[in-house]
Amino acid sequence: DVFGSGTIHTAQTREIAANPLCDFQLASGGYDRQLCVTDLTVAHVIASRQLDDTIGSVKWGSVNRGNVV
């Protein structure tokens, strides 16, 4: 289990969202206040950001001309 095992998040994951434009990318967040984008083909975080509060929900932005905004 990649999520919640300490390999990506150090605390329980609260939310996971699939990228609508890329089948192998997930965004996740949780009690460690870390927002991560993970490439599932290699189980590797490709982007992350530490936030000030626990993350309660994760959602990809709307699609505009093929870009997620």
Side-chain angles (χ1 to χ4, degrees):
D1 179 19
V2 174
F3 296 96
S5 66
T7 57
I8 291 176
H9 288 283
T10 59
Q12 184 178 8
T13 302
R14 292 189 64 187
E15 184 85 9
I16 297 172
N19 184 336
L21 299 178
C22 185
D23 293 340
F24 56 86
Q25 288 182 354
L26 292 178
S28 60
Y31 289 104
D32 62 359
R33 303 183 323 253
Q34 190 77 12
L35 176 64
C36 298
V37 176
T38 302
D39 180 335
L40 296 177
T41 62
V42 292
H44 180 74
V45 175
I46 57 175
S48 67
R49 173 145 325 203
Q50 185 73 39
L51 302 178
D52 293 332
D53 294 313
T54 297
I55 298 169
S57 70
V58 174
K59 180 181 177 184
W60 291 88
S62 60
V63 177
N64 181 11
R65 296 185 187 159
N67 297 311
V68 176
V69 292

